[in-house]
């Protein structure tokens, strides 16, 4: 079965600094999703990547899917307190599986 | 506003007392799903539904039931809750295929079974 490993598990950065979160899959990724979760709350959809080499940006967040489609990175530029939360990557484990499998999450803390 | 709603948001109950967590979406999505989130185990799928009257088991279906009588609603039923069902539950919906179309999640229901 497919597994997603996120690194780091937690991250504390100074406000204004850049940061990167990685998501590595044990199998080829057919669709990779990034979500953000405030502690104990719902998941907010950030971005979806499907093609190898694809890169998408939304405000100060950029996500990439590598050419071999087994790793994705999420990069935040000039971090702000509003970026704090848990970032989860999710993937379709097999075409037609009708579910997403998720990484364990990366807890991001932004210090003022 | 397009959204997935869940009720209740918080629930404390006792072992064996039947309960239902409701889920509703207003996006005319065909696909709906239930996940539970536990520390160290992450998010795991309980059940999903591809359309009205079509449901199937996910990875952890034991102790749960679902129904899909209307397109917009997908309730999760715990016939006889046990403490190991204490968890944070999420409902999700997508336009069509789970892996192709973006899944939108509800705000979560925090369930405690004593």
């Amino acid at each position: 079965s497919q597994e997603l490993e996120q690194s780091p598990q937690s991250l504390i950065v100074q406000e204004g600094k850049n940061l990167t979160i990685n998501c590595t899959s044990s199998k080829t990724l057919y669709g990779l999703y990034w979500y953000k979760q405030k502690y104990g709350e719902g998941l907010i959809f950030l971005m979806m990547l499907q093609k190898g080499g694809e890169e998408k940006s939304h405000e100060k967040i950029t996500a990439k899917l590598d050419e071999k489609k087994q790793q994705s990175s999420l990069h935040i530029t000039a971090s702000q307190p509003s970026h704090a939360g848990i970032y989860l990557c999710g993937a379709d484990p097999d075409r037609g599986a009708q579910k997403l499998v998720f990484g364990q999450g990366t807890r991001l803390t932004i210090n003022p | 506003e397009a959204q997935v709603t869940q009720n209740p948001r918080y629930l404390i109950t006792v072992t064996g007392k039947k309960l239902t967590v409701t889920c509703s979406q207003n996006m005319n999505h065909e696909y709906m799903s239930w996940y539970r989130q536990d520390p160290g185990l992450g998010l795991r799928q309980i059940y999903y539904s591809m359309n009205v009257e079509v449901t199937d088991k996910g990875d952890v279906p034991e102790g749960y039931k679902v129904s899909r009588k209307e397109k917009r609603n997908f309730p999760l039923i715990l016939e006889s809750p046990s403490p190991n069902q204490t968890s944070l539950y999420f409902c999700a919906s997508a336009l069509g295929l789970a892996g192709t179309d973006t899944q939108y999640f509800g705000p979560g229901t925090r369930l405690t079974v004593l």
Side-chain angles (χ1 to χ4, degrees):
Chain A
S1 61
Q2 183 175 41
E3 292 184 357
L4 296 177
E5 185 174 334
Q6 288 186 235
S7 62
Q9 292 186 359
S10 65
L11 190 56
I12 302 173
V13 300
Q14 204 71 26
E15 183 177 352
K17 297 294 186 183
N18 303 336
L19 63 104
T20 299
I21 298 169
N22 293 304
C23 176
T24 302
S25 172
S26 58
K27 295 184 178 180
T28 298
L29 292 163
Y30 293 106
L32 190 285
Y33 297 79
W34 282 101
Y35 288 87
K36 179 186 174 184
Q37 182 181 21
K38 288 284 190 182
Y39 181 72
E41 297 182 8
L43 280 67
I44 300 168
F45 170 73
L46 296 175
M47 276 171 277
M48 173 186 166
L49 305 165
Q50 286 188 304
K51 300 176 184 176
E54 187 173 10
E55 179 175 322
K56 288 187 177 178
S57 293
H58 176 67
E59 297 180 344
K60 295 185 177 180
I61 301 176
T62 300
K64 301 178 185 179
L65 183 61
D66 78 356
E67 290 286 345
K68 294 182 180 178
K69 295 178 68 177
Q70 285 199 264
Q71 186 175 53
S72 178
S73 61
L74 185 83
H75 184 76
I76 298 177
T77 304
S79 58
Q80 301 169 348
S82 60
H83 290 129
I86 300 171
Y87 289 82
L88 292 154
C89 63
D92 178 7
D94 196 5
R95 286 178 179 168
Q98 299 310 322
K99 68 178 180 183
L100 293 180
V101 293
F102 288 88
Q104 291 295 318
T106 295
R107 184 181 294 271
L108 174 62
T109 302
I110 308 293
N111 284 336
Chain B
E1 179 188 354
Q3 60 183 349
V4 179
T5 57
Q6 295 179 227
N7 282 292
R9 294 288 314 279
Y10 303 90
L11 180 61
I12 301 174
T13 189
V14 295
T15 299
K17 187 176 181 181
K18 181 180 178 180
L19 66 92
T20 299
V21 183
T22 64
C23 173
S24 182
Q25 50 91 7
N26 62 0
M27 295 171 278
N28 201 35
H29 284 172
E30 292 190 349
Y31 172 93
M32 297 185 75
S33 180
W34 277 101
Y35 293 84
R36 61 179 288 175
Q37 186 179 36
D38 302 287
L41 297 174
L43 279 150
R44 295 176 292 168
Q45 188 185 51
I46 304 171
Y47 268 95
Y48 67 92
S49 169
M50 292 300 296
N51 213 325
V52 175
E53 302 292 1
V54 180
T55 63
D56 210 342
K57 296 177 181 178
D59 294 322
V60 288
E62 294 78 20
Y64 304 95
K65 286 175 61 177
V66 293
S67 68
R68 188 92 181 273
K69 292 185 171 57
E70 304 168 282
K71 198 171 187 178
R72 62 182 293 134
N73 296 322
F74 190 45
L76 180 69
I77 303 156
L78 285 71
E79 294 271 0
S80 183
S82 62
N84 64 12
Q85 292 178 298
T86 292
S87 187
L88 181 57
Y89 291 86
F90 290 104
C91 180
S93 73
L95 185 62
L97 295 176
T100 306
D101 299 312
T102 300
Q103 287 196 40
Y104 296 94
F105 284 77
T109 295
R110 186 169 293 280
L111 172 66
T112 301
V113 183
L114 302 174

